[in-house]
Amino acid sequence: MASIGQIIFGSMIFLIILISGLIILILAIAFSVSQGTVETSTPSTVGDLGQDVVLDCKFLMSGSGKLDDVSITWLKDGLRGVVYQYKNKAAQLQGQNAQFKNRALLFQNYISKGNASLFLRNVKLGDEGVYRCSVSAAKISGTVNVNLRVAAFSAPTFTIQTNGSLTAEAQRWFPQPEVTWSSQSGQLLNSSSQYSNNSVGITRVVSVLKAPVKADDTYTCVIQNNVVKAVAEATVKDNKVTGRTYFIFSGASTKVLSLHVLLAVILLHFVLDCIVIG
Ligand SMILES: *[C@@H]1O[C@H](CO)[C@@H](O)[C@H](O)[C@H]1NC(C)=O
Ligand SMILES: *[C@@H]1O[C@H](CO)[C@@H](O)[C@H](O)[C@H]1NC(C)=O
Ligand SMILES: *[C@@H]1O[C@H](CO)[C@@H](O)[C@H](O)[C@H]1NC(C)=O
Ligand SMILES: *[C@@H]1O[C@H](CO)[C@@H](O)[C@H](O)[C@H]1NC(C)=O
């Protein structure tokens, strides 16, 4: 007669074998569908109005894959036709939406290295939206999304007026930003800002710091809308001022893998959780 302990031990062994089998099955399914991955390092990116932008998309293949039959399709949500399509070793643009005519390109010489990024010239407001990069080849199949937002932003230039006031002037902002000033210790300072729009709706900002500036002091001027934040530091020395600006884009970018891999990871987690609970 088997003791209760032996029965429990036996059933635990049985469970472990069963679950191991399950894991192998799930991994086999996940990786038979896709031996490569499609990914983007910028799931959310900001284009500067009138400038060029690159929407990142790359694919990685495990050793044996061949690239001869790779096809890359860029689509935009809610838009008819393709943004760009590459198939049979050439651009296939007969189905391209007119909005992207002569404005979209792939880095064709680097497709063999896994570069499926889209180069978009002269970014317009209407380009905002969610783009989908799909790559398929013998052993790859995956899609990643890149959310493109469009704004205008430029660093301010600082000047000390004859009356001793410090002003910051920035030429290109969209949407219209807000300006705040603070001292080196982080205290908010009073200021007044004037805005003027040009013919295409881009805002020029001139902001005057109310408090008199002190020599050898540093002031921080933050120009910010819902997309971009410019942090500009003005250092006053010998009645001259020098500025230094960096930009922060809202929506931090994290690496996003294609759905296939995510699915495999989620399933694996599920199985591991079951083992722990069991
Ligand atoms: C490949 O892709 C990146 C962005 O995804 C891009 O910046 C780069 O210039 C591309 N081309 C080459 C030649 O690497
Ligand atoms: C100094 O002049 C600027 C205009 O050049 C003005 O906006 C600012 O209010 C003046 N500052 C003071 C303290 O009078
Ligand atoms: C800013 O201006 C307001 C009145 O316009 C005043 O009450 C306040 O004390 C000022 N703050 C600083 C830090 O100067
Ligand atoms: C500039 O345009 C924006 C809309 O983009 C508007 O809200 C703002 O009032 C305009 N500013 C001026 C000074 O005309």
Side-chain angles (χ1 to χ4, degrees):
M1 274 283 287
S3 73
I4 290 184
Q6 278 171 322
I7 291 173
I8 291 176
F9 183 74
S11 28
M12 290 248 318
I13 296 282
F14 174 73
L15 254 176
I16 286 170
I17 290 171
L18 189 74
I19 288 167
S20 312
L22 220 72
I23 293 176
I24 289 166
L25 187 71
I26 287 167
L27 286 179
I29 292 170
F31 287 98
S32 66
V33 176
S34 152
Q35 292 192 354
T37 64
V38 182
E39 48 187 83
T40 179
S41 57
T42 53
S44 174
T45 193
V46 175
D48 190 0
L49 209 56
Q51 305 294 304
D52 304 332
V53 71
V54 174
L55 305 187
D56 182 85
C57 178
K58 55 177 162 295
F59 54 96
L60 308 165
M61 289 198 305
S62 57
S64 61
K66 273 220 177 104
L67 280 162
D68 289 353
D69 53 352
V70 66
S71 88
I72 300 168
T73 307
W74 278 92
L75 298 172
K76 181 171 184 265
D77 276 14
L79 197 83
R80 268 218 246 187
V82 300
V83 174
Y84 200 95
Q85 187 166 45
Y86 176 92
K87 214 175 179 176
N88 303 325
K89 293 184 179 172
Q92 308 287 341
L93 302 180
Q94 55 284 353
Q96 187 182 46
N97 187 290
Q99 183 183 339
F100 295 102
K101 199 171 176 216
N102 299 326
R103 293 178 55 224
L105 285 172
L106 297 188
F107 297 90
Q108 266 195 38
N109 294 339
Y110 296 88
I111 289 173
S112 60
K113 299 207 160 52
N115 196 329
S117 298
L118 182 78
F119 179 85
L120 186 57
R121 220 175 252 145
N122 184 17
V123 170
K124 302 173 190 334
L125 266 185
D127 294 336
E128 276 198 331
V130 176
Y131 291 73
R132 294 180 194 277
C133 169
S134 301
V135 179
S136 79
K139 287 181 174 167
I140 314 174
S141 157
T143 300
V144 287
N145 293 356
V146 179
N147 183 14
L148 174 67
R149 283 173 309 156
V150 176
F153 47 94
S154 64
T157 53
F158 292 101
T159 34
I160 297 178
Q161 306 294 322
T162 43
N163 65 9
S165 294
L166 182 60
T167 58
E169 179 173 345
Q171 298 298 334
R172 302 179 62 251
W173 277 85
F174 183 88
Q176 186 169 305
E178 285 182 0
V179 184
T180 53
W181 291 81
S182 56
S183 67
Q184 212 159 1
S185 60
Q187 190 194 6
L188 275 182
L189 302 172
N190 278 346
S191 62
S192 76
S193 300
Q194 284 190 323
Y195 300 92
S196 53
N197 292 342
N198 72 9
S199 58
V200 291
I202 291 180
T203 303
R204 171 176 169 270
V205 194
V206 180
S207 184
V208 183
L209 184 62
K210 285 275 176 63
V213 295
K214 292 188 221 117
D216 298 327
D217 220 347
T218 298
Y219 299 86
T220 304
C221 172
V222 173
I223 308 175
Q224 173 170 31
N225 59 26
N226 57 352
V227 184
V228 188
K229 178 179 185 175
V231 180
E233 281 181 355
T235 304
V236 180
K237 192 157 196 170
D238 303 330
N239 225 29
K240 285 206 201 93
V241 58
T242 52
R244 211 165 50 103
T245 303
Y246 60 91
F247 296 98
I248 301 167
F249 301 100
S250 70
S253 65
T254 47
K255 209 165 199 178
V256 170
L257 291 178
S258 73
L259 202 61
H260 279 133
V261 178
L262 275 181
L263 202 67
V265 170
I266 289 166
L267 283 173
L268 196 61
H269 259 290
F270 178 72
V271 171
L272 289 174
D273 289 347
C274 288
I275 292 174
V276 171
I277 290 164

mmCIF file of all heavy atoms in Angstrom, residues 119-165:
data_model
loop_
_atom_site.group_PDB
_atom_site.id
_atom_site.type_symbol
_atom_site.label_atom_id
_atom_site.label_comp_id
_atom_site.label_asym_id
_atom_site.label_seq_id
_atom_site.Cartn_x
_atom_site.Cartn_y
_atom_site.Cartn_z
ATOM 1 N N PHE A 119 11.085 56.800 -43.529
ATOM 2 C CA PHE A 119 11.594 58.169 -43.534
ATOM 3 C C PHE A 119 10.494 59.033 -44.139
ATOM 4 O O PHE A 119 10.043 58.787 -45.243
ATOM 5 C CB PHE A 119 12.865 58.223 -44.387
ATOM 6 C CG PHE A 119 13.480 59.594 -44.488
ATOM 7 C CD1 PHE A 119 14.354 60.054 -43.519
ATOM 8 C CD2 PHE A 119 13.189 60.421 -45.574
ATOM 9 C CE1 PHE A 119 14.927 61.319 -43.620
ATOM 10 C CE2 PHE A 119 13.757 61.679 -45.682
ATOM 11 C CZ PHE A 119 14.623 62.129 -44.695
ATOM 12 N N LEU A 120 10.045 60.032 -43.390
ATOM 13 C CA LEU A 120 8.944 60.877 -43.858
ATOM 14 C C LEU A 120 9.424 62.322 -43.925
ATOM 15 O O LEU A 120 9.887 62.892 -42.945
ATOM 16 C CB LEU A 120 7.760 60.745 -42.892
ATOM 17 C CG LEU A 120 6.460 61.435 -43.278
ATOM 18 C CD1 LEU A 120 5.964 60.957 -44.628
ATOM 19 C CD2 LEU A 120 5.406 61.155 -42.210
ATOM 20 N N ARG A 121 9.315 62.879 -45.141
ATOM 21 C CA ARG A 121 9.824 64.213 -45.416
ATOM 22 C C ARG A 121 8.790 65.286 -45.068
ATOM 23 O O ARG A 121 7.590 65.060 -45.230
ATOM 24 C CB ARG A 121 10.074 64.270 -46.934
ATOM 25 C CG ARG A 121 11.317 64.997 -47.332
ATOM 26 C CD ARG A 121 11.502 64.857 -48.839
ATOM 27 N NE ARG A 121 12.599 63.976 -49.158
ATOM 28 C CZ ARG A 121 12.620 63.150 -50.199
ATOM 29 N NH1 ARG A 121 11.609 63.069 -51.007
ATOM 30 N NH2 ARG A 121 13.679 62.404 -50.413
ATOM 31 N N ASN A 122 9.244 66.451 -44.629
ATOM 32 C CA ASN A 122 8.384 67.633 -44.492
ATOM 33 C C ASN A 122 7.079 67.338 -43.742
ATOM 34 O O ASN A 122 5.993 67.402 -44.303
ATOM 35 C CB ASN A 122 8.104 68.182 -45.901
ATOM 36 C CG ASN A 122 7.295 69.465 -45.860
ATOM 37 O OD1 ASN A 122 7.200 70.119 -44.816
ATOM 38 N ND2 ASN A 122 6.696 69.819 -46.979
ATOM 39 N N VAL A 123 7.213 67.024 -42.477
ATOM 40 C CA VAL A 123 6.074 66.583 -41.661
ATOM 41 C C VAL A 123 4.986 67.657 -41.586
ATOM 42 O O VAL A 123 5.270 68.832 -41.378
ATOM 43 C CB VAL A 123 6.555 66.216 -40.242
ATOM 44 C CG1 VAL A 123 5.393 66.003 -39.305
ATOM 45 C CG2 VAL A 123 7.428 64.989 -40.284
ATOM 46 N N LYS A 124 3.741 67.214 -41.772
ATOM 47 C CA LYS A 124 2.581 68.110 -41.700
ATOM 48 C C LYS A 124 1.690 67.687 -40.530
ATOM 49 O O LYS A 124 1.769 66.551 -40.076
ATOM 50 C CB LYS A 124 1.769 68.013 -42.998
ATOM 51 C CG LYS A 124 2.538 68.355 -44.263
ATOM 52 C CD LYS A 124 1.663 68.035 -45.456
ATOM 53 C CE LYS A 124 2.357 68.101 -46.802
ATOM 54 N NZ LYS A 124 3.491 68.937 -46.980
ATOM 55 N N LEU A 125 0.825 68.606 -40.122
ATOM 56 C CA LEU A 125 -0.100 68.286 -39.028
ATOM 57 C C LEU A 125 -0.948 67.059 -39.348
ATOM 58 O O LEU A 125 -1.214 66.231 -38.485
ATOM 59 C CB LEU A 125 -1.025 69.473 -38.767
ATOM 60 C CG LEU A 125 -0.582 70.431 -37.690
ATOM 61 C CD1 LEU A 125 -1.662 71.472 -37.469
ATOM 62 C CD2 LEU A 125 -0.285 69.694 -36.394
ATOM 63 N N GLY A 126 -1.371 66.954 -40.607
ATOM 64 C CA GLY A 126 -2.226 65.846 -41.028
ATOM 65 C C GLY A 126 -1.540 64.495 -40.957
ATOM 66 O O GLY A 126 -2.185 63.461 -41.120
ATOM 67 N N ASP A 127 -0.237 64.482 -40.717
ATOM 68 C CA ASP A 127 0.492 63.208 -40.619
ATOM 69 C C ASP A 127 0.336 62.564 -39.245
ATOM 70 O O ASP A 127 0.735 61.411 -39.052
ATOM 71 C CB ASP A 127 1.990 63.420 -40.892
ATOM 72 C CG ASP A 127 2.248 63.851 -42.330
ATOM 73 O OD1 ASP A 127 1.404 63.553 -43.194
ATOM 74 O OD2 ASP A 127 3.290 64.498 -42.573
ATOM 75 N N GLU A 128 -0.211 63.317 -38.291
ATOM 76 C CA GLU A 128 -0.386 62.753 -36.949
ATOM 77 C C GLU A 128 -1.234 61.494 -36.997
ATOM 78 O O GLU A 128 -2.202 61.427 -37.751
ATOM 79 C CB GLU A 128 -1.094 63.771 -36.034
ATOM 80 C CG GLU A 128 -0.159 64.765 -35.423
ATOM 81 C CD GLU A 128 -0.755 65.459 -34.218
ATOM 82 O OE1 GLU A 128 -1.985 65.610 -34.139
ATOM 83 O OE2 GLU A 128 0.028 65.851 -33.352
ATOM 84 N N GLY A 129 -0.875 60.521 -36.182
ATOM 85 C CA GLY A 129 -1.693 59.318 -36.110
ATOM 86 C C GLY A 129 -0.879 58.092 -35.785
ATOM 87 O O GLY A 129 0.310 58.175 -35.476
ATOM 88 N N VAL A 130 -1.559 56.948 -35.858
ATOM 89 C CA VAL A 130 -0.915 55.672 -35.543
ATOM 90 C C VAL A 130 -0.528 54.978 -36.842
ATOM 91 O O VAL A 130 -1.361 54.756 -37.718
ATOM 92 C CB VAL A 130 -1.856 54.774 -34.714
ATOM 93 C CG1 VAL A 130 -1.229 53.402 -34.477
ATOM 94 C CG2 VAL A 130 -2.199 55.442 -33.391
ATOM 95 N N TYR A 131 0.750 54.667 -36.950
ATOM 96 C CA TYR A 131 1.287 53.969 -38.121
ATOM 97 C C TYR A 131 1.570 52.526 -37.749
ATOM 98 O O TYR A 131 1.974 52.243 -36.622
ATOM 99 C CB TYR A 131 2.584 54.652 -38.588
ATOM 100 C CG TYR A 131 2.363 56.020 -39.191
ATOM 101 C CD1 TYR A 131 2.030 57.104 -38.381
ATOM 102 C CD2 TYR A 131 2.478 56.220 -40.560
ATOM 103 C CE1 TYR A 131 1.809 58.362 -38.937
ATOM 104 C CE2 TYR A 131 2.259 57.466 -41.123
ATOM 105 C CZ TYR A 131 1.926 58.538 -40.306
ATOM 106 O OH TYR A 131 1.704 59.770 -40.856
ATOM 107 N N ARG A 132 1.347 51.635 -38.710
ATOM 108 C CA ARG A 132 1.610 50.210 -38.459
ATOM 109 C C ARG A 132 2.654 49.703 -39.442
ATOM 110 O O ARG A 132 2.475 49.817 -40.648
ATOM 111 C CB ARG A 132 0.324 49.400 -38.637
ATOM 112 C CG ARG A 132 -0.698 49.748 -37.593
ATOM 113 C CD ARG A 132 -1.981 48.947 -37.762
ATOM 114 N NE ARG A 132 -3.027 49.551 -36.946
ATOM 115 C CZ ARG A 132 -3.178 49.325 -35.660
ATOM 116 N NH1 ARG A 132 -2.368 48.495 -35.038
ATOM 117 N NH2 ARG A 132 -4.134 49.936 -34.984
ATOM 118 N N CYS A 133 3.709 49.169 -38.895
ATOM 119 C CA CYS A 133 4.779 48.578 -39.711
ATOM 120 C C CYS A 133 4.631 47.069 -39.660
ATOM 121 O O CYS A 133 4.758 46.473 -38.598
ATOM 122 C CB CYS A 133 6.138 49.006 -39.145
ATOM 123 S SG CYS A 133 7.547 48.119 -39.840
ATOM 124 N N SER A 134 4.323 46.457 -40.801
ATOM 125 C CA SER A 134 4.202 44.994 -40.860
ATOM 126 C C SER A 134 5.325 44.428 -41.700
ATOM 127 O O SER A 134 5.571 44.899 -42.809
ATOM 128 C CB SER A 134 2.874 44.580 -41.495
ATOM 129 O OG SER A 134 1.804 45.092 -40.752
ATOM 130 N N VAL A 135 5.983 43.429 -41.155
ATOM 131 C CA VAL A 135 7.058 42.766 -41.886
ATOM 132 C C VAL A 135 6.689 41.310 -42.015
ATOM 133 O O VAL A 135 6.269 40.684 -41.043
ATOM 134 C CB VAL A 135 8.403 42.889 -41.137
ATOM 135 C CG1 VAL A 135 9.507 42.175 -41.894
ATOM 136 C CG2 VAL A 135 8.761 44.354 -40.924
ATOM 137 N N SER A 136 6.802 40.766 -43.227
ATOM 138 C CA SER A 136 6.618 39.329 -43.338
ATOM 139 C C SER A 136 7.640 38.755 -44.308
ATOM 140 O O SER A 136 8.017 39.373 -45.294
ATOM 141 C CB SER A 136 5.182 38.985 -43.738
ATOM 142 O OG SER A 136 5.013 39.183 -45.102
ATOM 143 N N ALA A 137 8.112 37.587 -43.950
ATOM 144 C CA ALA A 137 9.062 36.828 -44.766
ATOM 145 C C ALA A 137 8.853 35.375 -44.359
ATOM 146 O O ALA A 137 7.978 35.093 -43.539
ATOM 147 C CB ALA A 137 10.485 37.284 -44.497
ATOM 148 N N ALA A 138 9.666 34.476 -44.922
ATOM 149 C CA ALA A 138 9.443 33.053 -44.661
ATOM 150 C C ALA A 138 9.284 32.756 -43.169
ATOM 151 O O ALA A 138 8.399 32.037 -42.772
ATOM 152 C CB ALA A 138 10.584 32.247 -45.253
ATOM 153 N N LYS A 139 10.160 33.339 -42.352
ATOM 154 C CA LYS A 139 10.108 32.966 -40.939
ATOM 155 C C LYS A 139 9.806 34.137 -40.006
ATOM 156 O O LYS A 139 10.027 34.048 -38.809
ATOM 157 C CB LYS A 139 11.426 32.294 -40.548
ATOM 158 C CG LYS A 139 11.521 30.900 -41.129
ATOM 159 C CD LYS A 139 12.790 30.231 -40.735
ATOM 160 C CE LYS A 139 12.765 28.775 -41.230
ATOM 161 N NZ LYS A 139 14.067 28.162 -41.143
ATOM 162 N N ILE A 140 9.334 35.224 -40.581
ATOM 163 C CA ILE A 140 8.978 36.376 -39.746
ATOM 164 C C ILE A 140 7.578 36.800 -40.098
ATOM 165 O O ILE A 140 7.178 36.777 -41.254
ATOM 166 C CB ILE A 140 9.838 37.614 -40.037
ATOM 167 C CG1 ILE A 140 11.302 37.272 -40.120
ATOM 168 C CG2 ILE A 140 9.605 38.695 -39.016
ATOM 169 C CD1 ILE A 140 12.117 38.462 -40.544
ATOM 170 N N SER A 141 6.876 37.248 -39.099
ATOM 171 C CA SER A 141 5.602 37.880 -39.355
ATOM 172 C C SER A 141 5.268 38.667 -38.107
ATOM 173 O O SER A 141 5.188 38.106 -37.023
ATOM 174 C CB SER A 141 4.557 36.808 -39.639
ATOM 175 O OG SER A 141 3.290 37.317 -39.381
ATOM 176 N N GLY A 142 5.146 39.965 -38.255
ATOM 177 C CA GLY A 142 4.840 40.767 -37.077
ATOM 178 C C GLY A 142 4.502 42.184 -37.454
ATOM 179 O O GLY A 142 4.788 42.646 -38.561
ATOM 180 N N THR A 143 3.846 42.870 -36.538
ATOM 181 C CA THR A 143 3.439 44.249 -36.753
ATOM 182 C C THR A 143 3.740 45.046 -35.501
ATOM 183 O O THR A 143 3.517 44.558 -34.397
ATOM 184 C CB THR A 143 1.920 44.319 -37.038
ATOM 185 O OG1 THR A 143 1.642 43.543 -38.203
ATOM 186 C CG2 THR A 143 1.455 45.744 -37.273
ATOM 187 N N VAL A 144 4.273 46.259 -35.666
ATOM 188 C CA VAL A 144 4.398 47.161 -34.526
ATOM 189 C C VAL A 144 3.730 48.484 -34.872
ATOM 190 O O VAL A 144 3.618 48.851 -36.037
ATOM 191 C CB VAL A 144 5.866 47.447 -34.120
ATOM 192 C CG1 VAL A 144 6.477 46.242 -33.458
ATOM 193 C CG2 VAL A 144 6.686 47.937 -35.286
ATOM 194 N N ASN A 145 3.285 49.183 -33.838
ATOM 195 C CA ASN A 145 2.644 50.486 -34.020
ATOM 196 C C ASN A 145 3.601 51.592 -33.614
ATOM 197 O O ASN A 145 4.324 51.462 -32.635
ATOM 198 C CB ASN A 145 1.409 50.605 -33.126
ATOM 199 C CG ASN A 145 0.318 49.653 -33.554
ATOM 200 O OD1 ASN A 145 0.445 48.961 -34.561
ATOM 201 N ND2 ASN A 145 -0.756 49.631 -32.795
ATOM 202 N N VAL A 146 3.563 52.697 -34.356
ATOM 203 C CA VAL A 146 4.305 53.894 -33.977
ATOM 204 C C VAL A 146 3.318 55.054 -33.990
ATOM 205 O O VAL A 146 2.673 55.311 -35.013
ATOM 206 C CB VAL A 146 5.472 54.188 -34.946
ATOM 207 C CG1 VAL A 146 6.199 55.454 -34.530
ATOM 208 C CG2 VAL A 146 6.437 53.012 -35.010
ATOM 209 N N ASN A 147 3.187 55.710 -32.860
ATOM 210 C CA ASN A 147 2.260 56.838 -32.753
ATOM 211 C C ASN A 147 3.032 58.136 -33.022
ATOM 212 O O ASN A 147 3.933 58.490 -32.277
ATOM 213 C CB ASN A 147 1.653 56.844 -31.343
ATOM 214 C CG ASN A 147 0.629 57.956 -31.172
ATOM 215 O OD1 ASN A 147 0.191 58.553 -32.158
ATOM 216 N ND2 ASN A 147 0.265 58.247 -29.949
ATOM 217 N N LEU A 148 2.665 58.807 -34.109
ATOM 218 C CA LEU A 148 3.364 60.043 -34.475
ATOM 219 C C LEU A 148 2.526 61.254 -34.068
ATOM 220 O O LEU A 148 1.355 61.357 -34.412
ATOM 221 C CB LEU A 148 3.615 60.089 -35.991
ATOM 222 C CG LEU A 148 4.203 61.400 -36.526
ATOM 223 C CD1 LEU A 148 5.629 61.619 -36.025
ATOM 224 C CD2 LEU A 148 4.172 61.441 -38.050
ATOM 225 N N ARG A 149 3.154 62.139 -33.301
ATOM 226 C CA ARG A 149 2.517 63.415 -33.019
ATOM 227 C C ARG A 149 3.354 64.515 -33.639
ATOM 228 O O ARG A 149 4.564 64.364 -33.795
ATOM 229 C CB ARG A 149 2.377 63.614 -31.509
ATOM 230 C CG ARG A 149 1.209 62.776 -30.962
ATOM 231 C CD ARG A 149 1.149 62.806 -29.472
ATOM 232 N NE ARG A 149 2.454 62.480 -28.957
ATOM 233 C CZ ARG A 149 2.863 62.849 -27.749
ATOM 234 N NH1 ARG A 149 2.080 63.544 -26.959
ATOM 235 N NH2 ARG A 149 4.063 62.513 -27.335
ATOM 236 N N VAL A 150 2.700 65.608 -34.030
ATOM 237 C CA VAL A 150 3.397 66.672 -34.741
ATOM 238 C C VAL A 150 3.304 67.958 -33.938
ATOM 239 O O VAL A 150 2.243 68.311 -33.422
ATOM 240 C CB VAL A 150 2.802 66.867 -36.152
ATOM 241 C CG1 VAL A 150 3.450 68.037 -36.863
ATOM 242 C CG2 VAL A 150 2.968 65.587 -36.975
ATOM 243 N N ALA A 151 4.429 68.630 -33.783
ATOM 244 C CA ALA A 151 4.470 69.886 -33.037
ATOM 245 C C ALA A 151 5.570 70.750 -33.653
ATOM 246 O O ALA A 151 6.311 70.291 -34.515
ATOM 247 C CB ALA A 151 4.780 69.609 -31.567
ATOM 248 N N ALA A 152 5.624 72.005 -33.237
ATOM 249 C CA ALA A 152 6.773 72.833 -33.607
ATOM 250 C C ALA A 152 7.433 73.272 -32.309
ATOM 251 O O ALA A 152 6.743 73.555 -31.325
ATOM 252 C CB ALA A 152 6.328 74.039 -34.420
ATOM 253 N N PHE A 153 8.761 73.297 -32.300
ATOM 254 C CA PHE A 153 9.477 73.681 -31.082
ATOM 255 C C PHE A 153 10.851 74.198 -31.442
ATOM 256 O O PHE A 153 11.478 73.712 -32.376
ATOM 257 C CB PHE A 153 9.582 72.499 -30.112
ATOM 258 C CG PHE A 153 10.023 71.214 -30.754
ATOM 259 C CD1 PHE A 153 11.353 70.840 -30.764
ATOM 260 C CD2 PHE A 153 9.098 70.371 -31.352
ATOM 261 C CE1 PHE A 153 11.761 69.656 -31.360
ATOM 262 C CE2 PHE A 153 9.492 69.186 -31.953
ATOM 263 C CZ PHE A 153 10.829 68.827 -31.960
ATOM 264 N N SER A 154 11.289 75.208 -30.741
ATOM 265 C CA SER A 154 12.645 75.715 -30.954
ATOM 266 C C SER A 154 13.175 76.276 -29.648
ATOM 267 O O SER A 154 12.410 76.685 -28.768
ATOM 268 C CB SER A 154 12.654 76.787 -32.048
ATOM 269 O OG SER A 154 11.901 77.901 -31.638
ATOM 270 N N ALA A 155 14.470 76.292 -29.526
ATOM 271 C CA ALA A 155 15.114 76.792 -28.311
ATOM 272 C C ALA A 155 15.018 78.319 -28.289
ATOM 273 O O ALA A 155 15.050 78.960 -29.335
ATOM 274 C CB ALA A 155 16.577 76.366 -28.294
ATOM 275 N N PRO A 156 14.874 78.908 -27.090
ATOM 276 C CA PRO A 156 14.839 80.371 -27.020
ATOM 277 C C PRO A 156 16.250 80.966 -27.071
ATOM 278 O O PRO A 156 17.217 80.303 -26.727
ATOM 279 C CB PRO A 156 14.204 80.623 -25.650
ATOM 280 C CG PRO A 156 14.631 79.451 -24.831
ATOM 281 C CD PRO A 156 14.705 78.276 -25.780
ATOM 282 N N THR A 157 16.308 82.221 -27.514
ATOM 283 C CA THR A 157 17.557 82.971 -27.356
ATOM 284 C C THR A 157 17.319 84.019 -26.275
ATOM 285 O O THR A 157 16.233 84.598 -26.175
ATOM 286 C CB THR A 157 17.970 83.672 -28.665
ATOM 287 O OG1 THR A 157 16.857 84.446 -29.129
ATOM 288 C CG2 THR A 157 18.334 82.669 -29.744
ATOM 289 N N PHE A 158 18.323 84.244 -25.456
ATOM 290 C CA PHE A 158 18.195 85.161 -24.325
ATOM 291 C C PHE A 158 18.904 86.470 -24.632
ATOM 292 O O PHE A 158 19.961 86.482 -25.274
ATOM 293 C CB PHE A 158 18.821 84.540 -23.072
ATOM 294 C CG PHE A 158 18.064 83.339 -22.561
ATOM 295 C CD1 PHE A 158 18.504 82.049 -22.818
ATOM 296 C CD2 PHE A 158 16.904 83.513 -21.811
ATOM 297 C CE1 PHE A 158 17.811 80.947 -22.345
ATOM 298 C CE2 PHE A 158 16.203 82.414 -21.324
ATOM 299 C CZ PHE A 158 16.656 81.133 -21.593
ATOM 300 N N THR A 159 18.297 87.587 -24.148
ATOM 301 C CA THR A 159 18.990 88.882 -24.234
ATOM 302 C C THR A 159 18.707 89.676 -22.965
ATOM 303 O O THR A 159 17.657 89.494 -22.331
ATOM 304 C CB THR A 159 18.506 89.739 -25.422
ATOM 305 O OG1 THR A 159 17.120 89.499 -25.642
ATOM 306 C CG2 THR A 159 19.274 89.470 -26.695
ATOM 307 N N ILE A 160 19.662 90.524 -22.616
ATOM 308 C CA ILE A 160 19.434 91.445 -21.507
ATOM 309 C C ILE A 160 19.112 92.804 -22.109
ATOM 310 O O ILE A 160 19.906 93.342 -22.893
ATOM 311 C CB ILE A 160 20.667 91.521 -20.586
ATOM 312 C CG1 ILE A 160 20.899 90.140 -19.961
ATOM 313 C CG2 ILE A 160 20.460 92.572 -19.492
ATOM 314 C CD1 ILE A 160 22.110 90.070 -19.063
ATOM 315 N N GLN A 161 17.904 93.310 -21.800
ATOM 316 C CA GLN A 161 17.468 94.598 -22.335
ATOM 317 C C GLN A 161 18.279 95.735 -21.708
ATOM 318 O O GLN A 161 18.928 95.542 -20.674
ATOM 319 C CB GLN A 161 15.975 94.810 -22.050
ATOM 320 C CG GLN A 161 15.078 93.693 -22.531
ATOM 321 C CD GLN A 161 15.047 93.575 -24.049
ATOM 322 O OE1 GLN A 161 15.058 94.593 -24.751
ATOM 323 N NE2 GLN A 161 15.048 92.360 -24.546
ATOM 324 N N THR A 162 18.188 96.944 -22.328
ATOM 325 C CA THR A 162 18.942 98.079 -21.791
ATOM 326 C C THR A 162 18.488 98.434 -20.371
ATOM 327 O O THR A 162 19.279 98.910 -19.560
ATOM 328 C CB THR A 162 18.796 99.319 -22.711
ATOM 329 O OG1 THR A 162 17.433 99.421 -23.101
ATOM 330 C CG2 THR A 162 19.679 99.188 -23.939
ATOM 331 N N ASN A 163 17.203 98.150 -20.057
ATOM 332 C CA ASN A 163 16.731 98.417 -18.696
ATOM 333 C C ASN A 163 17.079 97.284 -17.711
ATOM 334 O O ASN A 163 16.651 97.302 -16.564
ATOM 335 C CB ASN A 163 15.223 98.713 -18.696
ATOM 336 C CG ASN A 163 14.412 97.509 -19.130
ATOM 337 O OD1 ASN A 163 14.935 96.410 -19.280
ATOM 338 N ND2 ASN A 163 13.123 97.729 -19.315
ATOM 339 N N GLY A 164 17.813 96.294 -18.178
ATOM 340 C CA GLY A 164 18.270 95.235 -17.280
ATOM 341 C C GLY A 164 17.375 94.007 -17.218
ATOM 342 O O GLY A 164 17.696 93.051 -16.523
ATOM 343 N N SER A 165 16.246 94.007 -17.961
ATOM 344 C CA SER A 165 15.370 92.826 -17.937
ATOM 345 C C SER A 165 15.919 91.715 -18.830
ATOM 346 O O SER A 165 16.501 91.978 -19.877
ATOM 347 C CB SER A 165 13.972 93.187 -18.442
ATOM 348 O OG SER A 165 13.355 94.065 -17.561
#
